[in-house]
Amino acid sequence: YSGNGRLCLLNLRTGTVTVLLDDPAGAVRDPQVHYEAEKVLFSYRKGELPYYHLYEIGIDGSNLTQLTDGPFDDIEPAYAPDGGILFCSTRCRRMVGCNPSPVATLYRCEADGSRIRELSPGAFTENTPWMLPDGRVLFTRWEYVDRNQLSYHHLWTCNPDGTRQMVYFGNQYQGTGAPVTRFSDVAMLGAKPIPGTNEIVASFSPGHGRAEHQGFITVVNPALGPDSLASARKLNTQRQFRDPYPVSPDCFLVADKEGLWLMDGEGRAERIFALSEEQMKADVECHEPRPLRARPREFAMPPAVDMSQATGVLALSDIYRGRNMEGVRRGEIKRLLVLEQLPKPVQFSGGQEPLTIGGTFALERVLGTVPVEPDGSAYM
């Protein structure tokens, strides 16, 4: 966004708006309130500068502090319970496989912005990391390794140290033109846990993802498994919103381009702040409402990585236990072929033609094979 960047505090009792940061030439996004509610972490493109970086500011507008820098975009930060910060960044130096635009993947740093480290091997874009109560990180991954490039923007988890990356919801469903209620052809963005439940809420943005994540506010119950169509319950069916923040199971803060809203568990919405006509004519939009209140820290999961080692290990307990294994007889898998999806550091076109004709979007490197033991286990 080109300008009119503001970070604002809205008093719901009086309607008073206090501007914490105002940069008419810059852009402000992705605020997150600290656990003690004394400061706000956010992404900020200052003035006419080309890149977003991470900043903190006191809730009274004091002590604006820049945490990261460099020729990269650092966006969508989230506080981690161990004192670190999770965020997405173009520091991975990758390009989207089907479009000349940069990729951002998961990173973490210390509270002061030091010790920046990439957490994800993802070849394509990742978005909106957020902590789950059990200490895992919930995020969106655009994942089209040998599959349709438009249809897989679904929910994944990992540990805060980058280990145990795993599908959370929706990754078996490609875009088929089915209704949004069946969560094909949607980008699942801004997912957050709902207090007092095991459910999450996210914006399901139709198609390949609309501008600013606009879509249907959807509650997902993961207890039914990562691919259950019955798991997703769409709240709103007409007007579309974005940036849900669950205050309680029956109260969600949401936004659209004209203002901020409260939505209940049945999708009924009441506007609590409206932009003026002059602001809307100037292309000002509302984004990402957050309650200014203290909140408990999530479980601080101990790290499971040894950064002194050049490689990690992967243990597969039983290859025959999993989705889409019907018809595979125990004992008939003897070896696994291990492939690496190579990220693209540069993009000269909008498609795949420079690599193959009618084939993959990216190059793959064969790393080797590993044996599968009689009990279905493998180790690499």
Side-chain angles (χ1 to χ4, degrees):
Y1 183 57
S2 60
N4 293 315
R6 282 186 173 184
L7 180 65
C8 299
L9 181 65
L10 170 65
N11 187 314
L12 290 176
R13 293 186 182 277
T14 65
T16 302
V17 175
T18 302
V19 179
L20 304 183
L21 176 64
D22 188 4
D23 187 342
V28 175
R29 52 176 290 175
D30 314 319
Q32 165 140 275
V33 177
H34 190 263
Y35 295 103
E36 279 74 49
E38 297 175 348
K39 57 185 177 180
V40 179
L41 173 68
F42 61 101
S43 184
Y44 174 30
R45 184 184 61 74
K46 190 174 183 179
E48 300 294 340
L49 299 179
Y51 298 107
Y52 283 91
H53 297 304
L54 304 188
Y55 285 77
E56 282 184 322
I57 194 171
I59 59 171
D60 59 355
S62 64
N63 299 321
L64 178 65
T65 304
Q66 182 174 344
L67 302 180
T68 62
D69 59 14
F72 312 100
D73 287 307
D74 300 325
I75 59 173
E76 300 174 341
Y79 286 113
D82 61 7
I85 294 172
L86 305 162
F87 63 103
C88 297
S89 179
T90 59
R91 295 169 184 271
C92 57
R93 300 178 184 269
R94 301 169 192 168
M95 300 295 289
V96 172
C98 57
N99 191 62
S101 57
V103 162
T105 57
L106 286 183
Y107 279 75
R108 70 167 293 144
C109 65
E110 300 302 319
D112 61 359
S114 63
R115 297 180 62 192
I116 294 175
R117 181 169 71 85
E118 188 177 15
L119 298 183
S120 172
F124 306 114
T125 298
E126 294 163 341
N127 289 103
T128 57
W130 204 269
M131 294 301 305
L132 291 171
D134 63 8
R136 291 178 298 163
V137 182
L138 179 66
F139 65 99
T140 300
R141 171 172 284 170
W142 182 13
E143 195 268 357
Y144 59 97
V145 177
D146 294 337
R147 63 202 321 205
N148 185 283
Q149 79 273 26
L150 303 178
S151 306
Y152 297 94
H153 316 74
H154 299 153
L155 299 179
W156 290 63
T157 59
C158 69
N159 289 357
D161 61 3
T163 60
R164 295 185 180 273
Q165 303 213 6
M166 184 61 62
V167 170
Y168 183 84
F169 182 71
N171 198 50
Q172 290 292 321
Y173 289 90
Q174 70 179 58
T176 60
V180 171
T181 52
R182 297 180 69 82
F183 61 79
S184 57
D185 265 338
V186 297
M188 303 176 184
L189 293 151
K192 302 173 186 66
I194 300 174
T197 75
N198 69 335
E199 298 178 326
I200 63 100
V201 65
S203 173
F204 279 26
S205 185
H208 194 33
R210 296 183 179 176
E212 307 302 338
H213 306 173
Q214 197 91 342
F216 298 97
I217 307 304
T218 304
V219 172
V220 175
N221 183 351
L224 300 178
D227 302 307
S228 169
L229 292 170
S231 296
R233 179 170 60 91
K234 185 172 65 175
L235 300 186
N236 56 308
T237 58
Q238 300 297 324
R239 189 184 187 108
Q240 295 188 17
F241 299 96
R242 58 180 180 238
D243 305 328
Y245 191 102
V247 180
S248 74
D250 195 43
C251 181
F252 304 90
L253 291 167
V254 297
D256 66 8
K257 65 184 302 181
E258 299 178 6
L260 305 179
W261 302 69
L262 278 178
M263 179 179 291
D264 69 10
E266 300 300 321
R268 295 182 290 261
E270 177 182 347
R271 188 155 57 189
I272 56 176
F273 175 77
L275 291 170
S276 66
E277 291 187 9
E278 291 75 18
Q279 288 172 318
M280 288 189 285
K281 287 179 181 179
D283 289 330
V284 174
E285 296 190 12
C286 284
H287 299 262
E288 300 159 319
R290 309 281 188 255
L292 183 57
R293 63 175 185 178
R295 56 193 175 91
R297 291 178 184 255
E298 302 84 5
F299 174 70
M301 191 175 294
V305 294
D306 182 354
M307 298 305 295
S308 67
Q309 301 297 314
T311 59
V313 296
L314 174 64
L316 180 63
S317 61
D318 187 352
I319 195 170
Y320 300 102
R321 293 176 61 87
R323 303 188 299 279
N324 294 336
M325 295 301 292
E326 184 178 355
V328 180
R329 297 187 303 274
R330 183 168 290 276
E332 68 179 1
I333 301 176
K334 307 300 183 183
R335 294 181 305 277
L336 297 178
L337 177 65
V338 183
L339 300 175
E340 178 184 5
Q341 182 89 10
L342 297 174
K344 298 180 73 172
V346 67
Q347 172 65 272
F348 294 108
S349 77
Q352 63 191 27
E353 288 77 13
L355 295 175
T356 65
I357 299 299
T360 180
F361 279 92
L363 292 175
E364 292 179 344
R365 176 163 56 192
V366 176
L367 299 182
T369 60
V370 293
V372 175
E373 303 299 329
D375 65 355
S377 64
Y379 180 83
M380 61 199 79

